[in-house]
Amino acid sequence: MSKLSVRDLSLKSKRVLMRVDFNVPLKDGRVVDDNRIRAALPTIRHIIDQGGKLILMSHLGRPKGERKPELSLRPCARALADLLNMHVDFVDDCVGPEASAAVDRMAEGQVLLLENLRYHSAETKNDPEFARQLAALGDVYVNDAFGTAHRAHASTEGVTHHLQPCAAGFLMMKELEYLGGIMASPKRPFVAILGGAKISGKIDVIQNLLPKVDRLLIGGGMMFTFLHAKGIGVGRSLLEEDRVEMAAKLMDTAGEKLVLPVDCRVSSHFDIKAGEVEHLQTVDVSSIPQDGAGLDIGEASLVLFGDVLKNARTVVWNGPMGVFEIQETAVGTFKIARLLAELTDRGAISVIGGGDSAAAAAKAGVASRISHISTGGGASLEFLEGKPLPGVEALTDKK
Ligand code: AMP
């Protein structure tokens, strides 16, 4: 069922309470990366243009119910004011008399940002009374924070029990359109690429994706548990002993669909935390030295993956192919990012599930050539797992 969009609402003179994701990095009281604020601008501008009174709420970091000044949203009000080229009001609390008074003073087309929701532990506890107080600030509710849609918090779920209608903002709509679209009716061949450290974090994604995709490419640390399950020695590579049986079962079910790397780049002298890797060499996966750890996929694997990908019309990617934080072992990850960009140039739909892969695409300089990069790492992962997102479920269904 599709959800009501902010475009469906009549907003003139209405108090529009909107959940955004302004969880941005700060340094010395300034916003260092305003991407998340920019991502909400289309919805913000639309509400202003329609004459709504826009009340924005967000969390920032994890203050765990305490007023931590270094996690104040005030710098975001300044950053948003600069982007909109207009005054953005700010109030020191997200509920209570001060917040109510600030809302009462608002005129049409004005913007008010409330202080960090997580200064109150009631937010993450989805406390009904706190949700009621938040809801009392608005006439309608909009959620444009896909990044927190997988959490049933007061500002994402609780509030919707006290306020109608509840609509998705443009950013949220775009996320649902792309992620929902590839899961419901992907253009085929549909290929998924999964990487990252561990199988344990991605089991549900693998299980949910397997019946839907035509091919599933596996890279990153998790490849070694699969290789081990095939009886291959993986040296000091990441290995989840307790997942070996599961990996074997997954390979059994998947058959030809599941594609593992054929070579990897190994080192016996490395300190990942210190960012040091020495004497890297590329070996066949069947020849990983006992004292070596596989830290990236090799050239032959990239050729193999490239071959599988070349006809793909839909690709979804989550998780790096190696320790991409270190330049020497970021080769495979960056190459996958570039392959995705090339495929997209040729008309394929590419979706990156946020987090590390999104950062890698940005570092590789190809972010703008990807069809959609999710703004929510955790939320997009849960979406790919096939789980309902409470923050989306709670929105009003479109008739
Ligand atoms: P995840 O959060 O599960 O997506 O894992 C991301 C992390 O996996 C990144 O920090 C990578 O450095 C790490 N990673 C990827 N490949 C490997 C590998 N072969 N060995 C160790 N860590 C890896």
Side-chain angles (χ1 to χ4, degrees), residues 195-199 201-202 219-224 236-238 265 270 272 293-297 318-326 329 333 356-357 381:
K198 295 179 172 175
I199 297 193
K202 307 266 161 90
M222 70 162 91
M223 68 189 253
F224 299 102
R236 287 160 64 208
S237 309
L238 268 187
R265 303 177 67 230
F270 61 91
I272 294 180
L295 303 174
D296 196 4
I297 58 174
N318 183 293
M321 297 291 102
V323 184
F324 83 112
E325 296 89 341
I326 304 175
T329 48
T333 303
D356 288 336
S357 324
L381 207 60

Side-chain angles (χ1 to χ4, degrees), residues 119-332:
Y119 279 2
H120 297 261
S121 56
E123 159 66 356
T124 51
K125 288 182 189 145
N126 199 3
D127 177 82
E129 174 52 23
F130 181 69
R132 195 194 55 74
Q133 288 177 38
L134 286 174
L137 299 175
D139 301 310
V140 296
Y141 172 75
V142 177
N143 190 345
D144 213 16
F146 180 75
T148 46
H150 58 315
R151 305 273 179 242
H153 291 168
S155 66
T156 61
E157 200 274 339
V159 76
T160 66
H161 297 285
H162 306 278
L163 202 52
Q164 283 294 325
C166 301
F170 295 129
L171 176 63
M172 178 74 95
M173 289 302 288
K174 188 169 176 242
E175 295 274 8
L176 299 178
E177 216 171 278
Y178 272 97
L179 289 165
I182 60 165
M183 295 305 271
S185 49
K187 287 191 181 150
R188 295 189 181 275
F190 176 22
V191 180
I193 312 167
L194 290 180
K198 295 179 172 175
I199 297 193
S200 45
K202 307 266 161 90
I203 287 279
D204 294 340
V205 185
I206 299 176
Q207 268 164 350
N208 189 45
L209 281 179
L210 258 181
K212 298 189 167 71
V213 297
D214 297 297
R215 284 325 224 353
L216 175 60
L217 309 181
I218 300 275
M222 70 162 91
M223 68 189 253
F224 299 102
T225 303
F226 283 101
L227 291 173
H228 180 85
K230 288 175 75 167
I232 295 173
V234 297
R236 287 160 64 208
S237 309
L238 268 187
L239 173 65
E240 287 176 279
E241 299 273 7
D242 56 340
R243 300 289 166 171
V244 174
E245 215 181 298
M246 181 164 264
K249 275 197 193 130
L250 280 171
M251 284 190 292
D252 248 13
T253 319
E256 299 274 289
K257 261 191 192 182
L258 197 142
V259 184
L260 287 171
V262 287
D263 63 348
C264 61
R265 303 177 67 230
V266 298
S267 164
S268 311
H269 303 86
F270 61 91
D271 182 345
I272 294 180
K273 281 210 180 90
E276 288 161 12
V277 185
E278 283 172 29
H279 311 303
L280 263 178
Q281 50 167 333
T282 304
V283 298
D284 193 280
V285 289
S286 59
S287 313
I288 299 172
Q290 268 187 359
D291 65 342
L295 303 174
D296 196 4
I297 58 174
E299 194 52 43
S301 306
L302 285 165
V303 171
L304 173 69
F305 284 10
D307 204 45
V308 174
L309 284 167
K310 74 173 186 269
N311 297 318
R313 294 182 67 206
T314 308
V315 187
V316 60
W317 177 31
N318 183 293
M321 297 291 102
V323 184
F324 83 112
E325 296 89 341
I326 304 175
Q327 200 186 347
E328 289 85 346
T329 48
V331 180

